[in-house]
Amino acid sequence: MLPHRLDFHPERDSDLFASVPAAPAVFLLRGRDPEAEPYVSKTANLRRRLIRLLGHSDERTRKLNLRERVATIEYAPTGSDFESGFVLYKTLREVFPKTYQDRLRLRGAPLARYRLENRYPRVSITTHISGSKSAYYGPFPSRAAAEKFANDSLDFFKIRRCVEELNPDPKFPGCVYSEMKMCLAPCFQGCSDEQYSDEVARVESFFDSRGQSLVREISAARDKASADLEFETAASLHTQLEKLKPVLSQLPEIVHRLDRLDALMIQPSSQPNAVMFFRIHAACLSDPITFPLPGMLGSSPHSGASQSAAKEAPAAIENRQSTSGNAVDLRIVGPGASPGQPSVSPEIPAAAAALGRGKSHSMESRVLEVLGQPKAAAPTYSRQETAEHLAILKRWFYRTSKVGEIFFADENGDLPMRRIVRGISRVFRGEKPAADLSETARDYWINRGREAELGDQ
């Protein structure tokens, strides 16, 4: 189940404790009795945790001690709290298929559900994903935040907000929204089915584009009114546009239509000179992918690895702007090598070393190469698994303090590769996410810094 397995013998416990890493990990303890329930947990220091659970204990202590019951130990080193949580989720799901949700205390992420299967579609808030033709948008930080965004957004449209199953009847008195001209009132046939369908399509486009479709629609109408010298109409449309801005500003970056929620999360790795990729496709998390960083000085501050080896065999990365200006070349410069003559440090893994031979590879091309492999064989997940992955992702994203970064694909499904390259460097060095600068300004100052370094040499 977990990649590392050790047999536990109480008389040789000191050798076992010395062999396990004093680093974050997910572990599983199995008893001598095959019918006994295994012990599964995560820890920030595996060695210390095993000593506490399996070491000699005072008879008067009330702390849990499993020394006389455990037969085998399984564990998986992790590089971040997010990776620990995800590995723990997968382990508990396999070991305790009936109770893992209660053990993890997973709460469904609040979603805006657009009930397109209904004859007269409407928007509601839910934490469950059903098998209907509804479109789901989220995750929101809370149910209250989802309701506020949905209500504020629907003020710009005229679809119904009632929850009843409609049976249009001209004798029906309607509701307050129809009286205020904020609903097309299909309940008493205040509009045709075609008119309501057109409004439904506008709302769907609004949610799909994170509000940009309505921004473009109002902006175009305002510009046309201004060109036709209809200044009062243009002023009214401009006011409407200004009212829309605070509504869209409350929309978190992670909120997307679930079947189009594609992103890349970068987390520290337990391995030296590497980071971990978590590909997110249709709101589901892939298994972690190790992305080696050959030639990086030292080790990631999150990996717990010693930096002494890196000092004995120094290596550096020579970054150079390509002639096209669209990518940054990654050249491996090892001991005894001069700039422009790549050599491979003996510490670089074999897979990474192969990338450094022969010719330079841009970091962007390496990222695309790594991401292209699992994407072709992306597994399919059930609705329940999708909801669970979304709950795990929501729990991490809305933390006030978190490790790692996430980058979302645009409307065309393309990832922001240049931002990802910078994010890899920040995550590896343990730096906080930085505000994104314009490409031109950032490239300018990077090149200025490189020119200054070359001048000093």
Side-chain angles (χ1 to χ4, degrees):
M1 183 177 297
L2 296 177
H4 301 279
R5 185 180 184 278
L6 298 171
D7 293 328
F8 178 68
H9 302 283
E11 63 275 9
R12 298 196 299 271
D13 58 352
S14 57
D15 294 337
L16 182 141
F17 295 149
S19 66
V20 298
V26 173
F27 66 96
L28 183 149
L29 307 180
R30 295 189 185 276
R32 294 182 174 85
D33 182 2
E35 301 297 326
E37 185 178 277
Y39 182 92
V40 185
S41 184
K42 65 176 182 177
T43 178
N45 189 315
L46 179 62
R47 182 182 299 166
R48 182 176 59 196
R49 185 70 174 276
L50 290 181
I51 291 174
R52 191 180 75 182
L53 290 172
L54 305 178
H56 293 281
S57 64
D58 188 346
E59 293 181 357
R60 293 171 295 180
T61 185
R62 300 180 64 180
K63 293 182 178 179
L64 176 66
N65 189 278
L66 304 174
R67 181 180 179 86
E68 303 301 328
R69 300 183 180 183
V70 171
T72 60
I73 303 169
E74 299 178 24
Y75 70 92
T78 56
S80 64
D81 186 62
F82 178 84
E83 184 182 359
S84 295
F86 187 59
V87 174
L88 179 64
Y89 155 75
K90 296 187 69 176
T91 304
L92 287 175
R93 197 173 194 275
E94 185 173 349
V95 176
F96 304 105
K98 296 181 179 180
T99 61
Y100 71 95
Q101 288 183 323
D102 295 333
R103 293 171 182 267
L104 289 169
R105 298 180 182 177
L106 282 179
R107 295 183 178 179
L111 306 170
R113 177 183 178 182
Y114 198 15
R115 298 173 178 266
L116 296 172
E117 72 279 4
N118 195 287
R119 179 184 175 186
Y120 299 102
R122 62 183 180 88
V123 177
S124 63
I125 306 302
T126 184
T127 56
H128 303 282
I129 301 176
S130 69
S132 64
K133 297 180 180 179
S134 298
Y136 294 87
Y137 303 87
F140 288 89
S142 64
R143 191 180 189 93
E147 289 175 347
K148 185 177 187 307
F149 177 75
N151 290 331
D152 292 348
S153 299
L154 294 179
D155 287 343
F156 294 87
F157 301 94
K158 295 183 178 182
I159 66 168
R160 71 186 184 103
R161 306 195 195 190
C162 51
V163 298
E164 296 84 1
E165 289 295 327
L166 296 186
N167 184 19
D169 184 358
K171 297 180 181 180
F172 189 77
C175 66
V176 64
Y177 286 104
S178 61
E179 293 292 333
M180 297 170 63
K181 306 301 181 184
M182 296 178 64
C183 177
L184 293 177
C187 54
F188 59 81
Q189 296 181 343
C191 65
S192 64
D193 288 350
E194 291 76 13
Q195 289 175 319
Y196 195 83
S197 296
D198 292 342
E199 193 71 0
V200 166
R202 290 181 65 231
V203 175
E204 184 177 10
S205 179
F206 173 86
F207 281 105
D208 286 352
S209 64
R210 293 171 48 84
Q212 294 308 306
S213 63
L214 186 59
V215 171
R216 292 190 291 266
E217 178 184 322
I218 297 176
S219 298
R222 179 194 59 185
D223 295 343
K224 184 178 183 303
S226 179
D228 295 341
L229 304 182
E230 298 176 0
F231 298 118
E232 292 184 358
T233 302
S236 176
L237 290 169
H238 183 76
T239 301
Q240 189 177 7
L241 192 61
E242 291 298 315
K243 290 181 179 179
L244 179 61
K245 289 180 179 179
V247 175
L248 300 183
S249 66
Q250 62 181 286
L251 188 64
E253 186 183 12
I254 194 175
V255 174
H256 286 74
R257 181 165 172 158
L258 293 193
D259 56 1
R260 301 175 188 175
L261 177 51
D262 292 348
L264 175 66
M265 182 189 294
I266 306 171
Q267 291 286 338
S269 173
S270 59
Q271 302 181 22
N273 295 335
V275 294
M276 299 300 290
F277 285 170
F278 288 84
R279 189 72 168 95
I280 301 166
H281 180 66
C284 293
L285 288 155
S286 69
D287 290 333
I289 306 167
T290 301
F291 183 75
L293 297 171
M296 294 296 279
L297 278 172
S299 302
S300 168
H302 302 280
S303 66
S306 171
Q307 297 187 12
S308 59
K311 293 180 180 178
E312 294 174 1
I317 287 186
E318 179 188 357
N319 293 312
R320 297 205 173 187
Q321 191 72 18
S322 67
T323 55
S324 64
N326 293 327
V328 178
D329 285 340
L330 178 68
R331 298 179 183 272
I332 314 304
V333 183
S338 59
Q341 297 178 350
S343 67
V344 179
S345 167
E347 291 185 290
I348 301 173
L355 290 172
R357 297 191 188 104
K359 65 176 182 178
S360 61
H361 286 69
S362 72
M363 184 72 82
E364 295 180 20
S365 64
R366 289 190 55 217
V367 172
L368 289 172
E369 182 178 355
V370 170
L371 295 181
Q373 298 172 359
K375 186 176 181 181
T380 56
Y381 295 96
S382 65
R383 294 190 298 273
Q384 181 178 346
E385 287 178 296
T386 300
E388 293 166 354
H389 286 209
L390 202 60
I392 294 172
L393 187 60
K394 175 248 180 184
R395 179 183 292 180
W396 172 84
F397 184 84
Y398 289 112
R399 282 183 176 176
T400 54
S401 178
K402 56 180 178 286
V403 174
E405 299 189 32
I406 188 170
F407 301 91
F408 297 94
D410 59 18
E411 295 181 0
N412 299 321
D414 298 326
L415 291 167
M417 298 308 303
R418 305 189 74 174
R419 291 178 56 203
I420 288 174
V421 170
R422 295 195 292 270
I424 290 172
S425 176
R426 288 193 297 269
V427 171
F428 178 79
R429 292 181 172 85
E431 300 173 357
K432 294 182 178 180
D436 187 42
L437 303 175
S438 67
E439 301 292 341
T440 303
R442 184 172 180 83
D443 291 346
Y444 171 78
W445 289 111
I446 288 177
N447 292 331
R448 283 286 300 272
R450 290 172 182 161
E451 291 173 2
E453 291 176 0
L454 294 174
D456 293 340
Q457 296 176 357

